[in-house]
Coordinates of all heavy atoms in Angstrom, one line a residue:
M134 N 64.0 186.2 -50.4 CA 64.8 187.2 -51.0 C 64.8 187.0 -52.5 O 64.9 185.9 -53.0 CB 66.3 187.0 -50.5 CG 67.2 188.1 -51.0 SD 68.9 187.9 -50.3 CE 69.4 186.5 -51.2
R135 N 64.6 188.1 -53.2 CA 64.6 188.1 -54.6 C 66.0 188.0 -55.2 O 66.9 188.8 -54.8 CB 63.9 189.3 -55.2 CG 63.9 189.4 -56.7 CD 63.0 190.5 -57.2 NE 61.6 190.1 -57.0 CZ 60.5 190.9 -57.3 NH1 60.7 192.1 -57.7 NH2 59.3 190.4 -57.1
V136 N 66.3 187.1 -56.1 CA 67.6 187.0 -56.7 C 67.5 187.5 -58.1 O 66.6 187.2 -58.9 CB 68.0 185.5 -56.7 CG1 69.3 185.3 -57.4 CG2 68.0 184.9 -55.4
I137 N 68.4 188.4 -58.4 CA 68.4 189.1 -59.7 C 69.6 188.5 -60.5 O 70.7 188.4 -60.1 CB 68.6 190.6 -59.6 CG1 67.4 191.2 -58.8 CG2 68.8 191.3 -60.9 CD1 66.1 191.0 -59.5
N138 N 69.3 188.1 -61.8 CA 70.3 187.6 -62.7 C 70.5 188.7 -63.8 O 69.7 188.8 -64.7 CB 69.9 186.3 -63.3 CG 70.9 185.8 -64.3 OD1 71.9 186.4 -64.6 ND2 70.6 184.6 -64.9
P139 N 71.6 189.5 -63.7 CA 71.7 190.5 -64.7 C 71.9 190.0 -66.2 O 71.8 190.8 -67.1 CB 73.0 191.3 -64.2 CG 73.7 190.3 -63.3 CD 72.6 189.4 -62.8
N140 N 72.2 188.8 -66.3 CA 72.4 188.2 -67.6 C 71.2 187.4 -68.1 O 71.3 186.7 -69.2 CB 73.6 187.2 -67.6 CG 74.9 187.9 -67.2 OD1 75.2 189.0 -67.7 ND2 75.6 187.3 -66.3
F141 N 70.1 187.6 -67.4 CA 68.9 186.8 -67.8 C 68.4 187.0 -69.2 O 68.1 186.1 -69.9 CB 67.8 187.1 -66.7 CG 66.6 186.1 -66.8 CD1 66.8 184.8 -67.0 CD2 65.3 186.6 -66.7 CE1 65.7 183.9 -67.1 CE2 64.2 185.7 -66.8 CZ 64.4 184.4 -67.0
E142 N 68.3 188.3 -69.6 CA 67.8 188.6 -70.9 C 68.7 188.0 -72.0 O 68.1 187.4 -73.0 CB 67.8 190.1 -71.2 CG 66.5 190.8 -70.7 CD 66.4 192.3 -71.0 OE1 67.3 193.0 -70.6 OE2 65.4 192.6 -71.7
S143 N 70.0 188.0 -71.9 CA 70.8 187.4 -72.9 C 70.7 185.9 -72.8 O 70.8 185.2 -73.9 CB 72.3 187.9 -72.8 OG 72.7 187.7 -71.5
K144 N 70.5 185.4 -71.7 CA 70.3 183.9 -71.5 C 69.1 183.4 -72.3 O 69.0 182.3 -72.7 CB 70.2 183.6 -70.0 CG 70.0 182.2 -69.6 CD 70.0 182.1 -68.1 CE 69.7 180.7 -67.6 NZ 69.8 180.6 -66.1
L145 N 68.1 184.3 -72.4 CA 66.8 183.9 -73.0 C 66.8 184.0 -74.5 O 65.8 183.5 -75.2 CB 65.7 184.8 -72.4 CG 65.3 184.6 -71.0 CD1 64.3 185.6 -70.5 CD2 64.7 183.2 -70.8
I146 N 67.8 184.5 -75.1 CA 67.8 184.7 -76.6 C 67.7 183.4 -77.3 O 67.0 183.3 -78.3 CB 69.1 185.5 -77.0 CG1 69.0 187.0 -76.5 CG2 69.3 185.4 -78.5 CD1 70.3 187.8 -76.7
K147 N 68.4 182.4 -76.8 CA 68.3 181.1 -77.5 C 66.9 180.5 -77.4 O 66.6 179.5 -78.2 CB 69.3 180.1 -76.9 CG 69.1 179.6 -75.6 CD 70.1 178.5 -75.2 CE 69.9 177.9 -73.9 NZ 70.8 176.9 -73.6
Y148 N 66.0 181.0 -76.6 CA 64.6 180.5 -76.5 C 63.7 181.4 -77.3 O 62.5 181.3 -77.2 CB 64.2 180.5 -75.0 CG 65.0 179.6 -74.2 CD1 66.0 180.1 -73.3 CD2 65.0 178.2 -74.3 CE1 66.8 179.2 -72.5 CE2 65.8 177.3 -73.6 CZ 66.7 177.9 -72.7 OH 67.5 177.0 -71.9
G149 N 64.3 182.4 -78.0 CA 63.5 183.3 -78.9 C 63.0 184.5 -78.2 O 62.2 185.2 -78.7
V150 N 63.6 184.8 -77.0 CA 63.2 186.1 -76.3 C 64.2 187.1 -76.6 O 65.4 187.1 -76.1 CB 63.1 185.8 -74.8 CG1 62.8 187.1 -74.1 CG2 62.0 184.8 -74.5
D151 N 63.9 188.1 -77.5 CA 64.9 189.0 -77.9 C 64.3 190.5 -78.0 O 65.0 191.3 -78.6 CB 65.6 188.6 -79.2 CG 64.7 188.5 -80.3 OD1 63.4 188.7 -80.1 OD2 65.1 188.2 -81.4
S152 N 63.1 190.7 -77.5 CA 62.5 191.9 -77.7 C 62.0 192.6 -76.4 O 61.4 193.7 -76.5 CB 61.3 191.7 -78.7 OG 60.4 190.8 -78.1
S153 N 62.3 192.0 -75.3 CA 61.7 192.5 -74.0 C 62.3 193.9 -73.7 O 61.6 194.7 -73.0 CB 62.0 191.5 -72.9 OG 63.4 191.2 -72.9
N154 N 63.5 194.2 -74.2 CA 64.0 195.5 -73.8 C 63.3 196.7 -74.5 O 63.5 197.8 -74.2 CB 65.6 195.6 -74.1 CG 65.9 195.3 -75.6 OD1 65.0 195.0 -76.4 ND2 67.1 195.5 -76.0
M155 N 62.4 196.3 -75.5 CA 61.7 197.4 -76.2 C 60.5 197.8 -75.3 O 59.9 198.9 -75.5 CB 61.1 196.9 -77.5 CG 62.2 196.5 -78.5 SD 63.2 198.0 -79.0 CE 61.9 198.9 -79.8
C156 N 60.1 197.0 -74.3 CA 58.9 197.3 -73.5 C 59.1 198.5 -72.6 O 60.2 198.6 -72.0 CB 58.6 196.1 -72.7 SG 57.3 196.3 -71.4
F157 N 58.2 199.4 -72.6 CA 58.3 200.6 -71.7 C 57.1 200.5 -70.7 O 56.8 201.5 -70.1 CB 58.4 201.9 -72.4 CG 57.2 202.3 -73.2 CD1 57.1 203.6 -73.6 CD2 56.2 201.4 -73.6 CE1 56.0 204.1 -74.4 CE2 55.1 201.8 -74.4 CZ 55.0 203.2 -74.8
N158 N 56.6 199.3 -70.5 CA 55.6 199.1 -69.4 C 54.3 199.9 -69.5 O 53.9 200.4 -68.4 CB 56.3 199.2 -68.0 CG 56.9 197.9 -67.6 OD1 56.3 197.1 -67.0 ND2 58.2 197.8 -67.9
C159 N 53.8 200.1 -70.6 CA 52.6 201.0 -70.8 C 51.4 200.2 -70.3 O 50.4 200.9 -69.9 CB 52.4 201.4 -72.2 SG 52.1 200.0 -73.4
G160 N 51.4 198.9 -70.4 CA 50.2 198.1 -69.9 C 49.2 197.8 -70.9 O 48.1 197.2 -70.6
T161 N 49.4 198.2 -72.2 CA 48.4 198.0 -73.2 C 48.1 196.5 -73.4 O 47.0 196.0 -73.5 CB 48.9 198.6 -74.6 OG1 49.1 199.9 -74.4 CG2 47.8 198.3 -75.6
C162 N 49.2 195.7 -73.3 CA 49.1 194.2 -73.4 C 48.2 193.6 -72.3 O 47.4 192.7 -72.6 CB 50.4 193.6 -73.5 SG 51.5 194.0 -72.1
S163 N 48.4 194.1 -71.1 CA 47.6 193.6 -70.0 C 46.1 194.0 -70.1 O 45.3 193.2 -69.7 CB 48.2 194.2 -68.7 OG 49.5 193.7 -68.5
A164 N 45.9 195.2 -70.7 CA 44.5 195.6 -70.9 C 43.7 194.8 -71.9 O 42.5 194.5 -71.7 CB 44.5 197.1 -71.3
I165 N 44.5 194.2 -72.9 CA 43.8 193.5 -73.9 C 43.8 192.0 -73.7 O 43.1 191.2 -74.4 CB 44.4 193.9 -75.3 CG1 43.4 193.6 -76.4 CG2 45.7 193.2 -75.6 CD1 43.7 194.3 -77.7
C166 N 44.7 191.5 -72.9 CA 44.9 190.0 -72.7 C 43.6 189.4 -72.1 O 43.0 189.9 -71.1 CB 46.0 189.8 -71.7 SG 46.2 188.0 -71.3
P167 N 43.1 188.4 -72.8 CA 41.8 187.8 -72.3 C 41.9 187.0 -71.0 O 40.9 186.6 -70.5 CB 41.5 186.8 -73.5 CG 42.7 186.5 -74.1 CD 43.6 187.7 -74.0
L168 N 43.1 186.8 -70.5 CA 43.2 186.0 -69.3 C 42.8 186.8 -68.0 O 42.5 186.2 -67.0 CB 44.7 185.5 -69.1 CG 45.1 184.5 -70.2 CD1 46.6 184.2 -70.0 CD2 44.3 183.2 -70.1
F169 N 42.8 188.1 -68.1 CA 42.5 188.9 -66.9 C 43.3 188.6 -65.6 O 42.8 188.7 -64.5 CB 41.0 188.8 -66.6 CG 40.1 189.2 -67.7 CD1 39.3 188.3 -68.4 CD2 40.1 190.6 -68.1 CE1 38.5 188.7 -69.4 CE2 39.2 191.0 -69.2 CZ 38.5 190.1 -69.8
E170 N 44.5 188.0 -65.8 CA 45.3 187.7 -64.7 C 46.0 189.0 -64.3 O 46.2 189.9 -65.1 CB 46.4 186.7 -65.1 CG 45.8 185.4 -65.5 CD 45.5 184.4 -64.4 OE1 45.9 184.7 -63.3 OE2 44.8 183.5 -64.6
H171 N 46.5 189.1 -63.1 CA 47.1 190.3 -62.6 C 48.4 190.6 -63.4 O 49.4 189.9 -63.3 CB 47.5 190.1 -61.1 CG 48.2 191.3 -60.5 ND1 47.7 192.5 -60.4 CD2 49.5 191.4 -60.1 CE1 48.6 193.3 -59.9 NE2 49.7 192.7 -59.7
G172 N 48.3 191.7 -64.2 CA 49.4 192.2 -64.9 C 50.0 191.3 -65.9 O 51.1 191.4 -66.3
F173 N 49.2 190.4 -66.5 CA 49.6 189.4 -67.5 C 49.4 190.0 -68.9 O 48.3 190.4 -69.2 CB 48.7 188.2 -67.3 CG 49.2 186.9 -67.9 CD1 49.8 185.9 -67.1 CD2 49.1 186.6 -69.2 CE1 50.3 184.7 -67.6 CE2 49.6 185.5 -69.8 CZ 50.2 184.5 -68.9
P174 N 50.4 190.0 -69.7 CA 51.7 189.5 -69.7 C 52.8 190.6 -69.3 O 54.0 190.3 -69.2 CB 52.0 189.1 -71.1 CG 51.3 190.1 -71.9 CD 50.0 190.5 -71.1
R175 N 52.3 191.8 -69.0 CA 53.3 192.9 -68.8 C 54.3 192.6 -67.6 O 55.4 192.9 -67.7 CB 52.6 194.2 -68.5 CG 53.5 195.4 -68.2 CD 52.7 196.6 -67.9 NE 52.0 196.5 -66.6 CZ 52.1 197.4 -65.6 NH1 52.9 198.4 -65.7 NH2 51.4 197.2 -64.5
R176 N 53.7 191.9 -66.6 CA 54.5 191.6 -65.4 C 55.7 190.7 -65.8 O 56.8 190.9 -65.3 CB 53.6 190.8 -64.4 CG 54.3 190.4 -63.1 CD 53.3 190.2 -62.0 NE 52.2 189.4 -62.5 CZ 52.1 188.0 -62.3 NH1 53.1 187.4 -61.8 NH2 51.1 187.4 -62.7
F177 N 55.5 189.8 -66.8 CA 56.6 188.9 -67.2 C 57.6 189.7 -68.0 O 58.8 189.4 -68.0 CB 56.0 187.7 -67.9 CG 55.2 186.8 -67.0 CD1 53.8 186.9 -67.0 CD2 55.8 185.9 -66.2 CE1 53.1 186.1 -66.1 CE2 55.1 185.2 -65.3 CZ 53.7 185.3 -65.3
M178 N 57.2 190.7 -68.8 CA 58.1 191.5 -69.5 C 59.0 192.2 -68.5 O 60.2 192.3 -68.7 CB 57.4 192.5 -70.3 CG 56.4 192.0 -71.4 SD 57.3 191.0 -72.6 CE 58.0 192.3 -73.7
R179 N 58.4 192.7 -67.4 CA 59.2 193.4 -66.4 C 60.2 192.4 -65.7 O 61.3 192.8 -65.5 CB 58.3 194.0 -65.4 CG 58.9 195.0 -64.5 CD 59.4 196.2 -65.3 NE 60.1 197.2 -64.4 CZ 61.2 197.9 -64.8 NH1 61.7 197.7 -66.0 NH2 61.7 198.7 -64.0
Y180 N 59.7 191.2 -65.4 CA 60.6 190.3 -64.8 C 61.8 190.0 -65.6 O 62.9 189.9 -65.1 CB 59.9 188.9 -64.6 CG 58.9 188.9 -63.4 CD1 57.9 187.9 -63.4 CD2 58.9 189.8 -62.4 CE1 56.9 187.9 -62.4 CE2 58.0 189.7 -61.4 CZ 57.0 188.8 -61.4 OH 56.1 188.7 -60.3
V181 N 61.6 189.9 -66.9 CA 62.7 189.6 -67.8 C 63.7 190.8 -67.8 O 64.9 190.7 -67.7 CB 62.2 189.3 -69.3 CG1 63.4 189.2 -70.2 CG2 61.4 188.0 -69.3
Q182 N 63.1 192.0 -67.9 CA 63.9 193.2 -68.0 C 64.8 193.4 -66.7 O 66.0 193.8 -66.8 CB 63.1 194.4 -68.1 CG 62.5 194.6 -69.5 CD 61.6 195.8 -69.6 OE1 60.9 196.2 -68.6 NE2 61.5 196.5 -70.7
I183 N 64.3 193.0 -65.6 CA 65.0 193.2 -64.3 C 65.8 192.0 -63.9 O 66.5 192.0 -62.9 CB 64.1 193.7 -63.2 CG1 63.2 192.6 -62.7 CG2 63.4 195.0 -63.5 CD1 62.4 193.0 -61.5
G184 N 65.7 190.9 -64.7 CA 66.5 189.7 -64.4 C 66.0 188.9 -63.3 O 66.7 188.2 -62.6
A185 N 64.6 189.0 -63.1 CA 64.0 188.2 -62.0 C 63.7 186.8 -62.4 O 62.6 186.3 -62.5 CB 62.8 188.9 -61.6
E186 N 64.8 186.0 -62.7 CA 64.7 184.7 -63.1 C 63.9 183.8 -62.1 O 63.1 182.9 -62.5 CB 66.1 184.1 -63.4 CG 66.1 182.7 -63.9 CD 67.5 182.2 -64.2 OE1 68.5 183.0 -64.1 OE2 67.6 181.0 -64.6
D187 N 64.2 184.1 -60.8 CA 63.5 183.3 -59.8 C 62.0 183.5 -59.8 O 61.2 182.6 -59.6 CB 64.1 183.5 -58.4 CG 63.9 185.0 -58.0 OD1 63.8 185.9 -58.9 OD2 63.9 185.3 -56.8
E188 N 61.5 184.7 -60.1 CA 60.1 185.0 -60.2 C 59.5 184.3 -61.4 O 58.4 183.8 -61.3 CB 59.9 186.5 -60.3 CG 60.2 187.3 -59.1 CD 59.4 187.0 -57.9 OE1 58.2 186.5 -58.1 OE2 59.8 187.2 -56.8
I189 N 60.2 184.2 -62.5 CA 59.7 183.5 -63.7 C 59.5 182.0 -63.3 O 58.5 181.4 -63.6 CB 60.7 183.6 -64.8 CG1 60.9 185.0 -65.3 CG2 60.3 182.7 -66.0 CD1 59.8 185.6 -66.1
L190 N 60.5 181.4 -62.6 CA 60.4 180.0 -62.3 C 59.3 179.7 -61.3 O 58.6 178.7 -61.3 CB 61.8 179.5 -61.8 CG 62.9 179.5 -62.9 CD1 64.2 179.2 -62.3 CD2 62.5 178.5 -64.0
K191 N 59.1 180.7 -60.3 CA 58.1 180.5 -59.4 C 56.7 180.6 -60.0 O 55.7 180.0 -59.5 CB 58.2 181.7 -58.3 CG 59.0 181.3 -57.1 CD 58.9 182.3 -56.0 CE 60.0 183.3 -55.9 NZ 59.9 184.3 -55.0
S192 N 56.6 181.3 -61.1 CA 55.3 181.5 -61.8 C 55.2 180.6 -63.0 O 54.4 180.9 -63.9 CB 55.2 183.0 -62.3 OG 55.6 183.9 -61.3
K193 N 55.9 179.5 -63.1 CA 55.9 178.7 -64.3 C 54.6 178.2 -64.7 O 54.3 178.2 -65.9 CB 57.0 177.6 -64.3 CG 56.9 176.6 -63.1 CD 58.0 175.6 -63.3 CE 58.0 174.6 -62.1 NZ 58.6 175.2 -60.9
M194 N 53.7 177.8 -63.8 CA 52.4 177.3 -64.2 C 51.5 178.4 -64.8 O 50.7 178.2 -65.6 CB 51.7 176.6 -63.0 CG 52.5 175.4 -62.5 SD 53.1 174.3 -63.7 CE 51.6 173.6 -64.4
E195 N 51.7 179.6 -64.2 CA 51.0 180.7 -64.7 C 51.3 181.0 -66.2 O 50.5 181.4 -67.0 CB 51.3 181.9 -63.8 CG 50.3 183.1 -64.0 CD 50.6 184.2 -63.0 OE1 51.5 184.1 -62.2 OE2 50.0 185.2 -63.2
I196 N 52.6 180.9 -66.5 CA 53.1 181.2 -67.8 C 52.4 180.3 -68.9 O 52.0 180.8 -69.9 CB 54.6 181.0 -67.9 CG1 55.3 182.1 -67.2 CG2 55.1 180.9 -69.4 CD1 56.8 181.9 -66.9
F197 N 52.1 179.1 -68.5 CA 51.5 178.1 -69.4 C 50.0 178.4 -69.6 O 49.3 177.7 -70.4 CB 51.7 176.7 -68.9 CG 53.1 176.2 -69.3 CD1 54.2 176.5 -68.5 CD2 53.3 175.7 -70.5 CE1 55.5 176.1 -68.8 CE2 54.6 175.3 -70.9 CZ 55.7 175.5 -70.0
K198 N 49.4 179.4 -68.9 CA 48.1 179.8 -69.2 C 47.9 180.6 -70.5 O 46.8 180.8 -71.0 CB 47.5 180.6 -68.0 CG 47.3 179.8 -66.7 CD 46.8 180.7 -65.7 CE 46.6 180.0 -64.3 NZ 46.2 180.9 -63.2
C199 N 49.0 181.2 -71.0 CA 49.0 182.0 -72.2 C 48.4 181.2 -73.3 O 48.8 180.1 -73.6 CB 50.4 182.5 -72.5 SG 50.5 183.3 -74.1
L200 N 47.4 181.8 -74.0 CA 46.7 181.1 -75.1 C 47.4 181.3 -76.5 O 46.9 180.8 -77.5 CB 45.3 181.7 -75.2 CG 44.5 181.7 -73.9 CD1 43.3 182.6 -74.0 CD2 44.1 180.2 -73.5
H201 N 48.3 182.2 -76.5 CA 49.0 182.6 -77.8 C 48.0 183.1 -78.8 O 48.0 182.8 -80.0 CB 49.8 181.4 -78.3 CG 51.0 181.1 -77.5 ND1 52.0 182.0 -77.3 CD2 51.2 180.1 -76.6 CE1 52.8 181.5 -76.4 NE2 52.4 180.3 -76.0
C202 N 47.1 183.9 -78.3 CA 46.1 184.5 -79.2 C 46.7 185.6 -80.0 O 46.2 186.0 -81.1 CB 44.9 185.1 -78.4 SG 45.4 186.4 -77.2
G203 N 47.8 186.2 -79.6 CA 48.5 187.2 -80.3 C 48.0 188.6 -80.1 O 48.6 189.6 -80.7
L204 N 47.0 188.8 -79.3 CA 46.4 190.1 -79.1 C 47.4 191.1 -78.5 O 47.5 192.3 -78.9 CB 45.1 190.1 -78.2 CG 43.9 189.4 -78.9 CD1 42.8 189.2 -77.8 CD2 43.4 190.3 -80.0
C205 N 48.2 190.6 -77.6 CA 49.1 191.5 -76.9 C 50.2 192.0 -77.9 O 50.5 193.2 -77.9 CB 49.8 190.8 -75.7 SG 50.5 189.2 -76.1
T206 N 50.7 191.1 -78.7 CA 51.7 191.4 -79.6 C 51.2 192.4 -80.7 O 51.9 193.4 -81.0 CB 52.3 190.1 -80.3 OG1 53.0 189.4 -79.3 CG2 53.2 190.5 -81.5
S207 N 50.0 192.2 -81.2 CA 49.5 193.1 -82.2 C 49.1 194.4 -81.7 O 49.0 195.4 -82.4 CB 48.3 192.4 -82.9 OG 47.2 192.2 -81.9
S208 N 48.9 194.6 -80.4 CA 48.6 195.9 -79.8 C 49.7 196.6 -79.2 O 49.6 197.8 -78.7 CB 47.4 195.7 -78.8 OG 47.9 194.9 -77.7
C209 N 50.9 196.0 -79.1 CA 52.0 196.6 -78.4 C 52.6 197.8 -79.2 O 52.9 197.6 -80.4 CB 53.1 195.6 -78.2 SG 54.6 196.3 -77.5
P210 N 52.6 199.0 -78.7 CA 53.1 200.1 -79.4 C 54.6 200.2 -79.6 O 55.1 201.1 -80.3 CB 52.6 201.3 -78.6 CG 52.6 200.8 -77.2 CD 52.2 199.4 -77.3
R211 N 55.3 199.3 -79.0 CA 56.7 199.3 -79.0 C 57.3 198.2 -79.8 O 58.6 198.0 -79.9 CB 57.3 199.3 -77.6 CG 57.0 200.6 -76.8 CD 58.0 201.7 -77.2 NE 59.3 201.3 -76.6 CZ 60.4 202.0 -76.8 NH1 60.3 203.1 -77.5 NH2 61.5 201.7 -76.3
G212 N 56.5 197.3 -80.3 CA 57.0 196.1 -81.0 C 57.8 195.2 -80.1 O 58.7 194.5 -80.6
A213 N 57.4 195.1 -78.9 CA 58.1 194.3 -77.9 C 57.7 192.8 -77.9 O 58.3 192.0 -77.3 CB 57.9 194.8 -76.5
S214 N 56.7 192.5 -78.7 CA 56.2 191.1 -79.0 C 56.0 190.3 -77.7 O 56.6 189.2 -77.5 CB 57.2 190.4 -79.9 OG 57.4 191.0 -81.1
P215 N 55.2 190.8 -76.8 CA 55.0 190.1 -75.5 C 54.5 188.6 -75.7 O 54.9 187.8 -74.9 CB 54.0 190.9 -74.7 CG 53.3 191.8 -75.8 CD 54.3 192.0 -76.8
G216 N 53.7 188.4 -76.7 CA 53.2 187.0 -76.9 C 54.4 186.1 -77.3 O 54.4 184.9 -76.8
E217 N 55.3 186.6 -78.0 CA 56.5 185.7 -78.4 C 57.4 185.6 -77.1 O 58.0 184.6 -77.0 CB 57.2 186.4 -79.5 CG 56.6 186.1 -80.9 CD 55.2 186.7 -81.0 OE1 55.0 187.8 -80.6 OE2 54.3 186.0 -81.6
V218 N 57.4 186.6 -76.3 CA 58.2 186.5 -75.1 C 57.6 185.4 -74.2 O 58.3 184.6 -73.6 CB 58.3 187.8 -74.3 CG1 58.9 187.7 -72.9 CG2 59.1 188.9 -75.1
M219 N 56.3 185.4 -74.1 CA 55.6 184.3 -73.3 C 56.0 182.9 -73.9 O 56.2 182.0 -73.1 CB 54.1 184.5 -73.2 CG 53.7 185.8 -72.5 SD 54.3 186.0 -70.9 CE 53.6 184.7 -70.0
L220 N 55.9 182.8 -75.2 CA 56.3 181.5 -75.8 C 57.7 181.1 -75.5 O 58.0 180.0 -75.1 CB 56.1 181.6 -77.3 CG 56.3 180.3 -78.1 CD1 55.5 179.2 -77.6 CD2 56.1 180.6 -79.6
G221 N 58.6 182.1 -75.6 CA 60.0 181.8 -75.2 C 60.2 181.5 -73.8 O 61.0 180.6 -73.5
L222 N 59.4 182.1 -72.9 CA 59.5 181.7 -71.5 C 59.0 180.3 -71.2 O 59.6 179.6 -70.4 CB 58.7 182.7 -70.6 CG 59.3 184.1 -70.5 CD1 58.4 185.0 -69.7 CD2 60.7 184.1 -69.9
K223 N 58.0 179.9 -72.0 CA 57.6 178.5 -71.9 C 58.8 177.5 -72.3 O 59.0 176.5 -71.6 CB 56.4 178.2 -72.8 CG 55.1 178.8 -72.3 CD 54.0 178.3 -73.2 CE 52.7 178.9 -72.7 NZ 51.5 178.6 -73.6
R224 N 59.5 177.9 -73.4 CA 60.6 177.1 -73.8 C 61.7 177.0 -72.7 O 62.3 176.0 -72.4 CB 61.2 177.6 -75.1 CG 60.3 177.6 -76.3 CD 61.1 178.0 -77.5 NE 60.2 178.2 -78.7 CZ 59.9 179.3 -79.3 NH1 60.5 180.5 -78.8 NH2 59.1 179.4 -80.3
F225 N 61.9 178.2 -72.1 CA 63.0 178.3 -71.1 C 62.6 177.4 -69.9 O 63.4 176.6 -69.4 CB 63.1 179.8 -70.6 CG 63.8 179.9 -69.3 CD1 65.1 179.7 -69.2 CD2 63.1 180.3 -68.2 CE1 65.8 179.8 -67.9 CE2 63.7 180.5 -67.0 CZ 65.0 180.2 -66.8
V226 N 61.3 177.5 -69.4 CA 60.9 176.8 -68.3 C 60.9 175.2 -68.6 O 61.4 174.5 -67.7 CB 59.4 177.2 -67.9 CG1 58.8 176.2 -66.9 CG2 59.5 178.6 -67.3
L227 N 60.5 174.8 -69.7 CA 60.5 173.4 -70.1 C 61.9 172.9 -70.1 O 62.2 171.8 -69.7 CB 59.8 173.2 -71.4 CG 58.3 173.3 -71.4 CD1 57.7 173.2 -72.8 CD2 57.7 172.2 -70.5
D228 N 62.8 173.7 -70.7 CA 64.2 173.3 -70.8 C 64.9 173.2 -69.4 O 65.6 172.2 -69.1 CB 65.0 174.3 -71.6 CG 66.4 173.7 -72.0 OD1 66.5 172.5 -72.2 OD2 67.4 174.6 -72.0
K229 N 64.5 174.1 -68.5 CA 65.0 174.1 -67.1 C 64.5 172.8 -66.4 O 65.3 172.1 -65.7 CB 64.5 175.3 -66.4 CG 64.8 175.4 -64.9 CD 66.3 175.8 -64.7 CE 66.6 176.1 -63.2 NZ 66.3 175.0 -62.3
M230 N 63.2 172.5 -66.6 CA 62.6 171.3 -65.9 C 63.3 170.1 -66.5 O 63.6 169.1 -65.7 CB 61.1 171.3 -66.2 CG 60.4 172.4 -65.4 SD 58.7 172.6 -66.0 CE 57.9 171.1 -65.3
R231 N 63.5 170.0 -67.8 CA 64.2 168.8 -68.4 C 65.6 168.7 -67.8 O 66.0 167.6 -67.4 CB 64.3 169.0 -69.9 CG 64.9 167.9 -70.7 CD 65.1 168.2 -72.1 NE 65.9 169.4 -72.3 CZ 67.3 169.4 -72.2 NH1 67.9 168.3 -71.9 NH2 67.9 170.5 -72.4
R232 N 66.3 169.8 -67.7 CA 67.7 169.7 -67.1 C 67.7 169.3 -65.7 O 68.5 168.5 -65.2 CB 68.4 171.0 -67.3 CG 68.9 171.2 -68.8 CD 69.7 172.5 -69.0 NE 68.8 173.6 -69.1 CZ 68.8 174.6 -68.3 NH1 69.6 174.7 -67.2 NH2 68.0 175.6 -68.4
D233 N 66.7 169.8 -64.9 CA 66.6 169.4 -63.5 C 66.4 167.9 -63.3 O 66.9 167.3 -62.4 CB 65.5 170.2 -62.8 CG 65.9 171.7 -62.6 OD1 67.1 172.0 -62.8 OD2 65.0 172.5 -62.3
V234 N 65.5 167.4 -64.2 CA 65.2 165.9 -64.1 C 66.5 165.1 -64.4 O 66.7 164.1 -63.8 CB 64.1 165.6 -65.0 CG1 63.9 164.1 -65.2 CG2 62.8 166.2 -64.5
N235 N 67.3 165.6 -65.4 CA 68.5 164.8 -65.8 C 69.6 164.9 -64.8 O 70.6 164.1 -64.9 CB 68.9 165.3 -67.2 CG 68.0 164.9 -68.3 OD1 67.2 163.9 -68.1 ND2 68.0 165.6 -69.4
V236 N 69.6 165.9 -63.9 CA 70.7 166.1 -63.0 C 70.7 165.0 -62.0 O 69.7 164.5 -61.5 CB 70.6 167.4 -62.3 CG1 71.5 167.5 -61.1 CG2 70.9 168.6 -63.2
Ligands
SF4_62 S1 54.9 194.7 -73.9 FE1 54.3 196.4 -75.2 S2 52.1 196.7 -74.7 FE2 53.0 195.5 -73.0 S3 53.6 196.9 -71.5 FE3 55.4 196.5 -72.8 S4 55.3 198.2 -74.3 FE4 53.3 198.1 -73.4
SF4_63 S1 49.2 185.9 -76.4 FE1 49.0 185.2 -74.2 S2 49.7 187.0 -73.0 FE2 49.2 187.7 -75.1 S3 47.1 188.4 -75.0 FE3 47.1 186.3 -75.7 S4 46.8 185.1 -73.8 FE4 47.5 187.1 -73.2

C-alpha cells in the first residue's frame, strides 16, 4: 500500500528541496538525463509533489546514481531545478539512515 505524506515537500526544505512544485512533468529532464533510467529524474519530482515519501525511501539506491551533471536543471523550462532536488533527496535519505541507526 502506498503511503502519502502531505507534508513531505515542506519536510524536504531543510535539505534544500524547495522547487519541486514548479515542475509540470513535461519530461524534458528525463529526455536529457544520461542515466537512461526509467523516468529519471522526473519520477522523483512527481514523488515529491504527491508526498510519496515511501517510494523515495524504497528507491534510495537509485537516487544515488545521479551524477550531478546539471543537464536536467539547465534544460528545465520551469526552473524546477531537478538536479538540486536529487541532491536534496540524497541529503534526506542519508539523514534518515543516520537517524535509523541511532534509534
Ligand atoms: S523538472 Fe522541469 S524538465 Fe523535468 S519534468 Fe519537471 S518541469 Fe519538466
Ligand atoms: S543531474 Fe542527475 S538527474 Fe540530472 S541529468 Fe544529471 S544525472 Fe540526470
